[in-house]
């Protein structure tokens, strides 16, 4: 294992400044015990959404004497904030950008698993009738996205490729729900978002893709645990990893059935869900040091734009070994 360098985290840290603590305060009242896995996830956490809908994890963890406590978050940043504050034990998939901000705040996190790249599963959108034709046309425009999400890095990388900097646009930090509303009303000129929100906007508003992550940002999603929990219950994490791996294979082999399960959970039609799922790899694999190379590029890009308070060494983390 690669051991993490830990620093004390307070509400004044990077995540405290950026994320909402409301969910964390509520979770804190419940406390933590090794016989309860407090699991945080987002709407876009496809594999976890499937396992939750099918009751698979409960069945897998019951013989280990472990119960599940489910907690939904609007985006990855407040999710990892709750994890770092010891108010969650496990975080379902967050975009590659999010752990960088957690590390900048001194979070003690263990990387449990990684989904292989899905570069086209996030994109910069403009309305069908927008005069914006290229990324370079975003100069001086108002662009909406979730702060510290993978979409944030995609925007920075796409702007750099077009010869622009982050300072050349007017950022609007919005949750996916707020971003969709602002996009439809014209309050923002472009919207950077990920699936299934991306597919929903394409199909329901005929939004046009200005650029996706292909050749710019590979968009790998990570599953993380609180390091103390990982040390206390590696058996639980091995069981969760195994179910995630199986669920990932099942989604790709059974796209229609997966969409039918997710439709009532996401409130989307099955065709939209199939389109979104086709762009995600869902190939769950262990996290190895060599696989974190892009993490450093992401961290350095945010530092260059003065969006991180200090340089982050993305290899200074703990890696979980599911086969150990």
């Amino acid at each position: 294992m690669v051991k993490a360098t830990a620093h004390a985290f307070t509400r004044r840290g990077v995540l405290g400044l950026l994320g909402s603590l409301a969910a964390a305060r509520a979770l804190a009242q419940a406390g933590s015990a090794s016989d309860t896995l407090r699991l945080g996830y987002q709407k876009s956490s496809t594999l976890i959404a499937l396992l939750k809908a099918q009751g698979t994890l409960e069945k897998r963890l019951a013989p280990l004497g472990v119960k599940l406590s489910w907690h939904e978050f609007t985006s990855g940043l407040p999710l990892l904030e709750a994890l770092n504050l010891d108010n969650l034990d496990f975080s379902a998939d967050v975009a590659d950008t999010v752990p960088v901000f957690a590390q900048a705040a001194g979070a003690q996190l263990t990387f449990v698993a990684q989904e292989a790249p899905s570069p086209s599963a996030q994109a910069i959108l403009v309305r069908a009738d927008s005069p914006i034709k290229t990324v370079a046309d975003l100069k001086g425009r108002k662009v909406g996205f979730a702060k510290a999400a993978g979409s944030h890095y995609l925007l920075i990388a796409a702007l750099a490729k077009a010869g622009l900097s982050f300072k050349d646009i007017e950022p609007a930090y919005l949750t996916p729900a707020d971003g969709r509303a602002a996009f439809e009303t014209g309050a923002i000129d472009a919207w950077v978002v990920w699936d299934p929100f991306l597919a929903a906007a394409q199909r329901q508003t005929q939004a046009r893709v200005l650029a996706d992550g292909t050749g710019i940002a590979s968009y790998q999603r990570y599953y993380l645990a609180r390091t103390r929990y990982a040390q206390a219950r590696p058996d639980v994490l091995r069981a969760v990893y195994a179910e995630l791996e199986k669920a990932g294979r099942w989604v790709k082999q059974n796209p229609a059935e997966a969409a039918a399960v997710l439709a009532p959970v996401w409130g989307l039609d099955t065709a939209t869900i199939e389109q979104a799922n086709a762009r995600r790899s869902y190939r769950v694999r262990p996290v190895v040091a060599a696989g974190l190379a892009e993490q450093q590029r992401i961290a350095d890009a945010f530092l260059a734009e003065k969006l991180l308070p200090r340089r982050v060494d993305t290899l200074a983390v703990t890696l979980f070994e599911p086969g150990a």
Side-chain angles (χ1 to χ4, degrees):
M1 287 190 178
V2 182
K3 293 300 180 183
T5 55
H7 302 273
F9 174 73
T10 70
R11 290 183 184 176
R12 293 182 182 179
V14 172
L15 300 187
L17 287 171
L18 301 178
S20 167
L21 286 174
R25 291 195 190 100
L27 289 171
Q29 298 174 359
S32 176
S34 60
D35 61 354
T36 300
L37 176 65
R38 299 168 300 167
L39 191 155
Y41 63 102
Q42 307 172 64
K43 187 175 183 178
S44 56
S45 298
T46 310
L47 302 186
I48 286 293
L50 283 169
L51 295 176
K52 185 175 186 289
Q54 297 171 328
T56 307
L57 278 182
E58 285 89 346
K59 294 173 186 175
R60 180 65 183 258
L61 297 182
L64 299 178
V66 174
K67 296 180 180 179
L68 270 172
S69 177
W70 300 92
H71 307 277
E72 184 174 350
F73 289 76
T74 58
S75 61
L77 198 60
L79 202 169
L80 285 199
E81 179 182 42
L83 188 71
N84 192 45
L85 289 171
D86 289 358
N87 294 317
L88 288 176
D89 302 307
F90 183 83
S91 164
D93 54 322
V94 295
D96 38 22
T97 302
V98 185
V100 167
F101 278 75
Q103 284 184 262
Q108 298 183 49
L109 305 174
T110 293
F111 283 61
V112 177
Q114 173 195 74
E115 282 185 19
S118 304
S120 63
Q122 57 177 356
I124 303 171
L125 294 177
V126 294
R127 289 178 295 281
D129 60 353
S130 173
I132 298 171
K133 302 300 181 185
T134 68
V135 173
D137 294 336
L138 292 176
K139 186 172 183 177
R141 302 282 190 164
K142 191 171 186 179
V143 183
F145 55 93
K147 197 165 192 176
S151 53
H152 194 166
Y153 175 66
L154 171 59
L155 177 60
I156 290 174
L159 289 171
K161 186 177 180 180
L164 301 176
S165 77
F166 190 66
K167 297 180 182 64
D168 288 318
I169 58 103
E170 181 184 349
Y173 300 119
L174 301 168
T175 65
D178 291 339
R180 173 68 181 264
F183 183 69
E184 288 189 10
T185 61
I188 54 177
D189 298 299
W191 184 32
V192 198
V193 73
W194 59 95
D195 278 318
F197 310 105
L198 169 60
Q202 285 181 281
R203 295 181 66 86
Q204 295 166 5
T205 73
Q206 288 71 58
R208 177 161 45 88
V209 172
L210 199 62
D212 64 22
T214 304
I216 304 173
S218 64
Y219 188 50
Q220 300 178 97
R221 294 178 69 95
Y222 290 91
Y223 298 81
L224 302 108
R226 188 166 53 88
T227 294
R228 277 189 287 175
Y229 187 88
Q231 293 169 342
R233 296 303 307 257
D235 57 331
V236 172
L237 296 186
R238 281 194 292 271
V240 172
Y241 180 95
E243 292 302 328
L244 287 170
E245 196 175 38
K246 284 197 294 185
R249 290 195 300 269
W250 184 81
V251 172
K252 302 306 283 188
Q253 293 167 2
N254 303 276
E257 293 90 333
V261 174
L262 290 167
V265 177
W266 285 353
L268 295 171
D269 63 274
T270 55
T272 297
I273 295 171
E274 285 196 58
Q275 179 175 326
N277 286 347
R279 291 188 288 228
R280 287 274 296 274
S281 74
Y282 295 127
R283 183 158 60 88
V284 176
R285 59 191 187 183
V287 182
V288 297
L292 293 174
E294 189 172 21
Q295 292 295 99
Q296 193 61 59
R297 291 195 294 273
I298 291 171
D300 293 344
F302 276 98
L303 184 66
E305 293 288 357
K306 297 181 171 54
L307 296 170
L308 277 184
R310 64 180 180 86
R311 187 181 186 278
V312 168
D313 178 2
T314 57
L315 289 180
V317 295
T318 303
L319 305 180
F320 184 73
E321 299 176 19

